[in-house]
Amino acid sequence: MDSPIDAKRVYLEAMAGAALPGQAHAWVQALRDRARTSFDAIGFPTTRHEDWKYTNLASVVRQAFQPALAATVTREQLSASLLTGQTAHQLVFVNGRYNAALSNPPSFGKNGFAGSLAEALATSPDRLSAYLGQVAPIDKHPLAALNTAFLVDGACIHVPAGTVVEQPIHLVYVGTNDALAQPHNLIVAEAGSQVTVIEHYIGIDGARYFTNAVTEAVVERGATLEHYRLQQESAQGFHVGGVYVRQDSTSRFVSHAVDIGGLLVRNDLRTVVADSAECLLDGLYVIAGRQHVDNHTLIDHAQPRGVSREHYKGVLEGRSRAVFNGRVIVQPNAQRIDAQQLNNNLLLSEDAEVDTKPEFEIYADDVKCGHGATVGQLDPDELFYLRSRALDEAAARDLLTFAFAEDILRRFRLAPIRQALEQTLTTRLLHGRQLKEIELI
């Protein structure tokens, strides 16, 4: 009988001798050493860890993926991921490595940067030292530590103060078979700037791989970051991702997250909200078969007068399973904050399962907070109404399910993304019917 693979040891040994960007700089090496020590001490989390109680990584660590090497894809393979009808800057990463030939980054002059993190580490490391590794919790999150210890590349976007980036910046990540890709992204929106960033994860059909992504974002005073995270990985892909944000006073962070692909997916989203800052989180997961999607969010109101709104929705079919753990912390001096959180789930089969856990920890007394969660099936009264309007039962069920999910997409400001996802949901939830084909009498 073969011995089980010690995935932690395999990764540590495989990457120990690798030539990594930024090693010549003492602060980068110190950051890597700290992250490597953290990962070595904690290892891959198991279901005995409270934050991983409902997500078992056994299928991920049962095999050792190869640290990703450079690979190529064609424009034709990317065509399905492009934003039709949207003019956008585009940065493409294959196995987590920047592909300059397929990219058209914006230019910010000498005071800003957009492109490869590895290039930024080589050409202007001093620009990064105040931000890189400062937001992600590498001492507590072993997957963030694994990413940081052995980061090879990712996106670096540094928007100068007062700059408004008119076109969104579209980051496309492609994974290939058997590879472990670990993109590490750094986004800095300096004071008074505005930028929209789209993280879009896709995979080659049938490919089995492991994406372990980390995004660190700093939204300085009065700045706005609108962030989209679209996860449409291969049906056999494993995806673990973390988005970690620090918001300065009067800043605005808007997050739209969609999970449709992947076999096993875990997302962490954490933001620290400063004085009079605003945080808006929307999420949608539509899964079937044996897909598993786990969303853990944390909004930390660290200072007064902050506002946060969070609404995640899920549609589950087959034997799929979803986890939602939304945590909001109101620190003792965070008076007069306004925080609302909601998670709604629609189960379309008897074997689908969801674990939802909204949490509030309130240590201040002058606050307005509320949260809720629902898990249920289609409303029989609404079904009866549609049947009475001459729709057959299948069409009525599909229409109600589509409307439930589309509610989240309507909040997306970028119409091309909204329309592309609506088309995907039309195929998945309306089974190819177009809305105009479903006419009520």
Side-chain angles (χ1 to χ4, degrees), residues 13 79 92 100 108 112 124 250 296 311 320 339 375 397 428:
E13 291 177 356
S79 60
V92 176
F108 296 128
S124 53
T250 66
H296 268 59
H311 192 181
S320 61
V375 179
R397 286 182 173 278
R428 288 274 296 267

Side-chain angles (χ1 to χ4, degrees), residues 156-303:
C156 179
I157 300 169
H158 191 143
V159 184
T163 300
V164 177
V165 186
E166 298 291 347
Q167 298 178 5
I169 302 175
H170 186 199
L171 312 177
V172 182
Y173 305 88
V174 189
T176 62
N177 210 28
D178 293 329
L180 165 63
Q182 302 198 93
H184 192 115
N185 309 305
L186 177 64
I187 304 170
V188 179
E190 288 191 350
S193 64
Q194 297 179 33
V195 63
T196 298
V197 177
I198 307 159
E199 288 187 34
H200 195 175
Y201 294 89
I202 62 174
I204 307 299
D205 286 344
R208 189 176 180 85
Y209 54 90
F210 178 22
T211 300
N212 178 32
V214 167
T215 295
E216 298 184 274
V218 177
V219 191
E220 295 187 345
R221 181 181 176 82
T224 296
L225 169 61
E226 184 173 8
H227 183 264
Y228 291 78
R229 186 186 53 76
L230 312 179
Q231 185 275 114
Q232 294 179 288
E233 300 273 27
S234 160
Q236 298 300 316
F238 300 104
H239 181 104
V240 176
V243 177
Y244 306 102
V245 185
R246 191 192 77 200
Q247 292 186 246
D248 291 347
S249 63
T250 66
S251 65
R252 189 167 188 262
F253 173 62
V254 182
S255 168
H256 305 289
V258 174
D259 287 290
I260 297 176
L263 180 61
L264 189 152
V265 177
R266 164 65 183 244
N267 303 305
D268 285 82
L269 196 167
R270 304 181 184 187
T271 183
V272 180
V273 183
D275 189 354
S276 303
E278 184 179 14
C279 170
L280 306 175
L281 311 182
D282 293 323
L284 174 66
Y285 39 94
V286 179
I287 54 179
R290 288 184 171 271
Q291 285 182 279
H292 178 112
V293 171
D294 179 348
N295 281 293
H296 268 59
T297 66
L298 169 60
I299 301 172
D300 186 351
H301 283 279
Q303 295 179 16

